[in-house]
Amino acid sequence: MDVSEKIYVAGHQGLVGSALLRRLRASGYVNTIVRQSQELDLISQRAVTEFFAAECPKYVFLAAARVGGIAANSKYPAEFIYQNLAIQGNVMDAAYRSRVSRLLFLGSSCIYPKHAAQPIKEEYLLTGPLEPTNRSYAVAKISGVEMCWAYNRQYGTKFMAAMPTNLYGPRDRYDLETSHVLPALLRKMHEAKVSGANHVVVWGTGSPRREFLHSDDAADACVFLMNLPDEALTPIVSNQDLAPIVNVGSGEDLSIRELAEVIASVTGFEGELVFDRSRPDGTPRKLLDVGKLTKLGWKFRVGLREGISRTYQELLKEKYVLSSSIPVNAY
């Protein structure tokens, strides 16, 4: 990407989108385009079409999405599938019609089967049943991958999909009804420490294993992928047999119990961790095989404890993020 070319970051106020914007601007990209959701409703096909016709971006990072943890996915499955399908469809089709050079779609590791072999390779897509608690969201993201694949095959576009592992960092959601496990535990333990509570309840058994990646690392990987030379990009976007996806993660995981213990240490919470076994565990293990990305030349930099410490300090500086009125949408 030339530093002067127009780059549209869809979803710039969300966890990944805000990290992408920071990464691009820090690297000297001077022509980034963003729109608040009040200015551009990505669910409206007409609004998106008019935006692309007027702005004509050359590169697009599609990080806009309706996102949330197990509770939100279970409570709002209709919104998760409808809104994500609409956002993806509108942006990708408009990108094709305005002749965007490259588009990077941000998916999710939940697209893979619940009981996929570990670590999960890109080719495991559609080889088994999905985790029921977030199936609507996963199906929407799988549709986004298929759309990249279909447009590449039919129109010769250069659309690819990055499949990040569980992400955390600045501008995460801390609403306990909609957040993911890491920010939820950060909030719970911070508030327990402040209030003097003697225990914190953690959903499930604590045995599921998860991989985590700081959003700054995820953004760095996305910019790296978008800047691949044609000879490295072409095999990804032009393969007729394999979806144009690249896993993005650390390649390291830990149990939810171990995660809770790290967060307790970082926040200074010294009480008891109580595991509520009546709550769902979700997928038993979810570790990505990041061999493809490693071979391309990228590796994560921010270790988990360091990343959680940085995130906690940012949370303390920006107290508003603990408000339960944070909007669920990231676009």
Side-chain angles (χ1 to χ4, degrees):
M1 296 185 295
D2 188 281
V3 293
S4 62
E5 296 285 0
K6 278 190 176 183
I7 303 170
Y8 172 44
V9 180
H12 74 285
Q13 293 184 301
L15 174 64
V16 186
S18 61
L20 275 167
L21 198 57
R22 289 194 303 272
R23 171 66 172 78
L24 290 167
R25 289 177 173 172
S27 299
Y29 292 95
V30 296
N31 208 352
T32 52
I33 309 167
V34 296
R35 290 290 186 277
Q36 306 256 354
S37 57
Q38 301 93 322
E39 301 173 288
L40 175 60
D41 180 6
L42 296 179
I43 294 176
S44 167
Q45 183 181 40
R46 179 177 179 177
V48 174
T49 300
E50 291 176 350
F51 165 77
F52 271 83
E55 292 293 344
C56 299
K58 188 167 184 180
Y59 300 98
V60 174
F61 290 93
L62 178 44
R66 173 75 180 251
V67 297
I70 290 178
N73 274 272
S74 299
K75 190 173 183 179
Y76 305 109
E79 283 85 351
F80 271 86
I81 192 165
Y82 168 71
Q83 292 181 7
N84 283 303
L85 286 173
I87 291 167
Q88 297 160 192
N90 292 339
V91 172
M92 286 192 204
D93 189 65
Y96 152 66
R97 295 185 185 283
S98 64
R99 299 182 179 179
V100 162
S101 292
R102 295 185 182 185
L103 178 145
L104 183 78
F105 168 61
L106 268 294
S108 166
S109 58
C110 73
I111 67 168
Y112 294 115
K114 177 176 181 176
H115 297 292
Q118 304 290 319
I120 304 171
K121 298 179 183 292
E122 289 88 349
E123 54 262 37
Y124 294 169
L125 179 68
L126 297 177
T127 59
L130 299 167
E131 161 59 40
T133 57
N134 60 11
R135 187 175 61 219
S136 293
Y137 177 72
V139 168
K141 288 297 183 180
I142 291 169
S143 298
V145 172
E146 179 61 34
M147 195 167 183
C148 289
W149 204 359
Y151 274 64
N152 290 346
R153 292 199 307 269
Q154 185 170 342
Y155 299 122
T157 52
K158 293 179 179 178
F159 294 175
M160 63 180 146
M163 293 300 121
T165 189
N166 300 287
L167 302 178
Y168 68 98
R171 299 199 64 82
D172 210 337
R173 284 180 175 74
Y174 294 88
D175 183 331
L176 298 182
E177 285 295 313
T178 61
S179 64
H180 291 96
V181 60
L182 194 155
L185 288 175
L186 261 180
R187 174 175 180 169
K188 282 184 176 183
M189 292 193 200
H190 169 73
E191 292 183 344
K193 183 186 73 170
V194 171
S195 68
N198 61 9
H199 74 278
V200 163
V201 176
V202 183
W203 276 30
T205 64
S207 62
R209 299 187 67 83
R210 293 291 182 270
E211 174 187 16
F212 296 92
L213 187 72
H214 195 278
S215 58
D216 286 346
D217 271 339
D220 186 69
C222 290
V223 174
F224 171 84
L225 288 170
M226 192 71 99
N227 273 308
L228 286 175
D230 284 338
E231 58 268 24
L233 180 69
T234 299
I236 298 172
V237 300
S238 300
N239 193 311
Q240 297 292 309
D241 301 315
L242 295 175
I245 58 179
V246 178
N247 287 340
V248 176
S250 65
E252 301 174 358
D253 67 353
L254 76 171
S255 70
I256 295 300
R257 178 182 292 274
E258 290 169 330
L259 173 69
E261 290 169 351
V262 171
I263 293 175
S265 174
V266 167
T267 59
F269 172 69
E270 298 179 346
E272 181 185 5
L273 300 176
V274 177
F275 292 86
D276 183 356
R277 294 173 178 267
S278 70
R279 297 291 191 171
D281 268 340
T283 304
R285 190 185 189 197
K286 194 163 61 172
L287 175 66
L288 294 181
D289 185 318
V290 293
K292 181 187 288 189
L293 184 58
T294 302
K295 287 179 181 178
L296 289 169
W298 188 88
K299 183 176 174 57
F300 82 102
R301 296 183 178 88
V302 183
L304 183 61
R305 186 181 182 89
E306 175 194 350
I308 292 175
S309 297
R310 282 166 45 178
T311 302
Y312 184 51
Q313 292 307 312
E314 288 155 354
L315 183 154
L316 295 177
K317 288 188 291 186
E318 303 289 351
K319 294 180 181 179
Y320 71 89
V321 297
L322 294 180
S323 169
S324 61
S325 63
I326 298 172
V328 177
N329 299 325
Y331 62 90

